[in-house]
Amino acid sequence: MGYKETLLKPIMIGSKECKNRFMAQSMECVDSDAEGNPTDLTLQRYENLYKGEFGLVDLEAITVTNESRARKTQLEIMPRNEKALERFIRSLKEVNPDALIVFQLTHSGEISESDFSRKVCVKPTYGIGGEVLTEEEVDHIIDQFVLASKIAESVGADGIDMKLCHGYLGSQIIRPFNDRDWKYGGSWERRSAFAYDLMERIKAGVQDKDFLIGSKMSMWEGYPGGFGSAGPDSPLMDMTEPLDLIRGLEERGASYFIESLGNVHSSMNFMESIQEEPYMAYLHMYFANMMKQALKPETVVVGSNFSAFRGKKNKLLSIEPEKSSMFAMGARVIEDGMMDMIGLGRQSFADPLTPLKLREGREDEIKYCTQCMNCEELMIRQQPVGCVAYNRPYAKRLVEIRKEMGKLTELHT
């Protein structure tokens, strides 16, 4: 089977049909309005993904609270946002009624920016800190996740993604570093209880039995004490807890998982391989395969970090270009049973029409991500995010903000 046939073949996620094997990753883009509602810029971005025929779209890190968040203009999902989100989803369905969309629900925890919100944690991490959450506060946060899930269902989303990755609150609670003696800390039984309670309560809270519930997970955070470590301060990788967690979530009704690695504070290169080190992308195949082999065949696993493979011109050595391209490698790992779908993040910025162009035989027109990481810089600087390499307005904004930051630096020296 050719890679086109493999990547465009439908797949069932739970009881819903996904039209192909492409997922648009949840990419924070910092372009909401002051109340966390989608703006015209937000709608334009997602309309392009829908026009581009991504089978599954994961709505970027939409926060369940305004109190603690990582981005000043971050999408929010609370009762005040319901009508705006309903209009947003209705508009997208008009563009492409076949695409599935899940909302990645998040709470930023210690990654929250103290300049405009409350930085909180379950145990202070060196170099980050934050106010320590009480058990009652975490219980309230679970309530907020459940309410957000109900809102996601009511506005027309196909499901939700419980964010347990990249150093945000979900991963802060389940990692071994959280050895504090409390309801959600210390033993693995208590740390995993957070994720299990959250899963069970969301499942019970939504009305539609076909509503998809899954999770994007950092199987290994990549630093001592992070998720996938052997102990609270151990640098040793240990997959006992990650594999136990995905099996436990599957038993409670999870129909899909999105594989990831790393942490935004201490190990970002594991999340997104950089231009000089595209080989990090191979690690994601290993962990996605580990997930796939641990789960039931019908549970969908989405692999990450495929932007690094680009077209037939990449920086991967010791393999023929026609075998190392994004499409060839993506089809290979699906055909070999290592995963079911491929997730595109930075590539979805570079060319949101990637799946459509593949289907129409226009591969030579695809704009491939250069891994310049300028989109990441925009996010860190709290600016609307998009592809700087191929989208002039974002390139112009990056130049402007660098100049502004340079002037501020001069004023303080």
Side-chain angles (χ1 to χ4, degrees):
M1 184 182 294
Y3 62 67
K4 185 173 180 178
E5 290 77 13
T6 296
L7 294 172
L8 298 180
K9 184 178 180 180
I11 186 173
M12 297 302 293
I13 306 178
S15 59
K16 295 179 183 285
E17 183 182 63
C18 183
K19 294 298 183 181
N20 58 45
R21 304 305 179 94
F22 289 97
M23 187 198 80
Q25 295 271 22
S26 51
M27 304 291 284
E28 292 181 87
C29 286
V30 202
D31 57 17
S32 77
D33 68 15
E35 291 194 335
N37 296 314
T39 60
D40 290 342
L41 187 55
T42 314
L43 180 61
Q44 182 185 53
R45 289 192 294 108
Y46 283 93
E47 281 184 339
N48 286 337
L49 295 174
Y50 269 60
K51 290 174 184 175
E53 299 184 358
F54 277 86
L56 175 63
V57 175
D58 197 356
L59 184 75
E60 60 191 88
I62 184 167
T63 178
V64 301
T65 178
N66 178 263
E67 182 184 47
S68 299
R69 61 196 197 282
R71 317 295 163 211
K72 191 170 186 178
T73 49
Q74 182 171 357
L75 290 180
E76 300 177 11
I77 181 164
M78 292 176 285
R80 72 180 188 183
N81 309 111
E82 189 164 356
K83 289 183 179 179
L85 288 170
E86 185 176 14
R87 290 193 297 270
F88 175 71
I89 294 298
R90 187 187 309 122
S91 297
L92 294 180
K93 294 291 184 182
E94 289 172 359
V95 173
N96 179 0
D98 293 330
L100 300 178
I101 186 166
V102 294
F103 287 11
Q104 186 186 75
L105 306 182
T106 191
H107 184 295
S108 297
E110 67 186 16
I111 306 299
S112 301
E113 284 290 338
S114 54
D115 288 347
F116 51 78
S117 70
R118 181 183 176 219
K119 184 191 289 285
V120 295
C121 66
V122 296
K123 178 188 173 184
T125 298
Y126 175 74
I128 304 179
E131 297 177 45
V132 176
L133 289 165
T134 66
E135 294 179 359
E136 292 75 20
E137 286 177 313
V138 174
D139 287 335
H140 176 62
I141 289 169
I142 291 177
D143 290 339
Q144 291 175 310
F145 270 92
V146 175
L147 176 58
S149 300
K150 292 178 180 179
I151 294 172
E153 179 187 29
S154 73
V155 303
D158 296 289
I160 59 96
D161 162 14
M162 303 187 310
K163 188 169 187 175
L164 298 174
C165 64
H166 301 166
Y168 293 81
L169 184 65
S171 52
Q172 292 162 30
I173 293 176
I174 61 175
R175 64 172 65 129
F177 180 73
N178 174 24
D179 60 356
R180 174 179 146 213
D181 184 15
W182 66 305
K183 182 178 180 180
Y184 297 112
S187 69
W188 172 235
E189 181 180 11
R190 286 188 287 181
R191 285 182 282 121
S192 61
F194 169 80
Y196 294 155
D197 290 350
L198 186 57
M199 176 78 201
E200 290 170 355
R201 289 196 52 198
I202 291 173
K203 188 80 174 174
V206 297
Q207 301 298 310
D208 184 1
K209 62 179 178 59
D210 296 324
F211 192 73
L212 302 176
I213 305 175
S215 181
K216 184 170 185 176
M217 296 181 55
S218 286
M219 292 291 282
W220 180 53
E221 282 194 85
Y223 78 98
F227 195 52
S229 298
D233 61 356
S234 175
L236 182 67
M237 183 192 298
D238 187 335
M239 287 293 103
T240 303
E241 291 178 357
L243 293 176
D244 186 64
L245 183 63
I246 61 172
R247 292 190 189 104
L249 290 172
E250 180 187 59
E251 289 171 5
R252 290 163 173 81
S255 54
Y256 72 94
F257 291 95
I258 304 164
E259 173 274 335
S260 196
L261 302 171
N263 176 303
V264 294
H265 174 69
S266 58
S267 50
M268 187 174 281
N269 286 355
F270 288 120
M271 291 169 50
E272 307 170 304
S273 58
I274 58 175
Q275 204 169 53
E276 294 77 19
E277 295 292 342
Y279 304 97
M280 287 287 189
Y282 290 128
L283 283 178
H284 289 261
M285 297 177 184
Y286 175 81
F287 286 96
N289 179 66
M290 184 179 292
M291 296 174 84
K292 188 63 186 170
Q293 304 315 313
L295 298 166
K296 297 175 183 176
E298 63 269 24
T299 301
V300 170
V301 172
V302 184
S304 296
N305 218 330
F306 280 88
S307 297
F309 294 100
R310 310 186 78 247
K312 295 177 182 178
K313 294 181 180 179
N314 56 40
K315 294 188 177 182
L316 296 163
L317 304 178
S318 303
I319 180 173
E320 299 92 327
E322 59 271 16
K323 291 183 180 180
S324 66
S325 71
M326 181 175 66
F327 294 143
M329 192 62 74
R332 162 72 187 274
V333 294
I334 291 171
E335 290 166 4
D336 286 355
M338 297 167 64
M339 63 189 73
D340 302 291
M341 299 179 67
I342 62 171
L344 302 182
R346 290 167 293 172
Q347 177 60 29
S348 72
F349 285 162
D351 197 336
L353 305 184
T354 296
L356 171 65
K357 289 178 178 177
L358 173 64
R359 182 179 66 78
E360 293 183 342
R362 296 190 287 138
E363 289 179 58
D364 58 340
E365 297 178 22
I366 294 174
K367 301 171 184 175
Y368 287 103
C369 172
T370 65
Q371 295 178 275
C372 67
M373 300 307 291
N374 286 326
C375 56
E376 194 79 43
E377 182 177 346
L378 283 170
M379 184 189 72
I380 291 169
R381 295 186 185 277
Q382 299 287 338
Q383 300 298 310
V385 179
C387 183
V388 172
Y390 301 114
N391 196 317
R392 187 176 295 274
Y394 290 108
K396 182 180 178 181
R397 184 56 188 146
L398 181 61
V399 171
E400 291 172 349
I401 195 66
R402 283 177 175 173
K403 287 180 180 177
E404 291 172 16
M405 297 304 294
K407 290 177 181 177
L408 285 174
T409 301
E410 288 176 9
L411 287 172
H412 288 87
T413 57

